[in-house]
Amino acid sequence: MKKIAVFASGNGSNFQALVEAEKTGVLGAKISLLICDQPEAYVLKRASAERIPFLCVSPKCYSSKVAYEQALLEQLNRENIDFILLAGYMRLIGATLLQAYPRRIINIHPSLLPAFPGKDAVDQAVNAGVKVTGLTVHYVDEGMDTGQIIAQRAVEIETGDTRESIQKRIQLAEHQVYPAVVQQLLHDCINLNLEGSK
Ligand code: GAR
């Protein structure tokens, strides 16, 4: 069974959704490690409650991004991790991890990329006045939410919606879509045309 490390920085509702999907057998993979860069993040409590090994590593403790990622890589190698899933990990992945895990680092983002990349994607959608936003699952590359798109789901913005209500609907969709897409990817059920892709 493939082994997964989840990287997260905050609440961890997507981490929890992946854990639940593992428990019910939907994921078809084992979440073996949580890596977090924020000591106060609630996701650490979730990992502890689920008895999933976790590691809180602050980049501030390292002289460079390369040194930070090398330290993470040692842990990933120690656990024989096959795939990395970013779930609200608010940091760009650097060359060290990208080279070690080619096309094996996946991210979920709360917009229909390439619209509204980066932080505060829901605020960006609200400010732009769009009537449809959504979520994207994509491969991670060196850019900010620029990697090849794997799957998307649209979420309509309705009259009377607030930033909070939109975010809630997107997250509910994320909790369904992310585990399902990961399951398909891990079991080679998604066949992306790699020709010409980045
Ligand atoms: C999720 O909505 C995820 O799409 C977003 O952060 C949230 C984390 O929520 N990620 C990004 O914005 C990445 N650019 P969670 O901690 O409850 O899973």
Side-chain angles (χ1 to χ4, degrees), residues 8-16 43 46 86-90 107-111 116-122 135-136 138 144-145 167 170-171 174-175:
S9 303
N11 174 29
S13 69
N14 278 285
F15 168 76
Q16 192 73 51
V43 69
R46 294 182 188 269
L86 309 187
Y89 182 70
M90 302 314 245
N107 183 39
I108 188 157
H109 181 78
S111 76
F116 315 133
K119 282 186 185 165
D120 305 322
V122 177
L135 66 93
T136 302
H138 64 95
M144 174 83 79
D145 302 318
Q167 181 165 34
I170 291 176
Q171 288 217 328
E174 287 185 334
H175 300 160

Side-chain angles (χ1 to χ4, degrees), residues 2-3 19 34 37 45 47 58 82 95 114 139 142 157 166 185 195:
K2 295 271 192 278
K3 295 178 80 177
V19 169
L34 169 77
D37 59 343
K45 291 195 169 59
S58 172
D82 297 297
Y139 287 108
E142 61 289 339
I157 297 180
I166 298 164
L185 266 179
E195 290 299 316

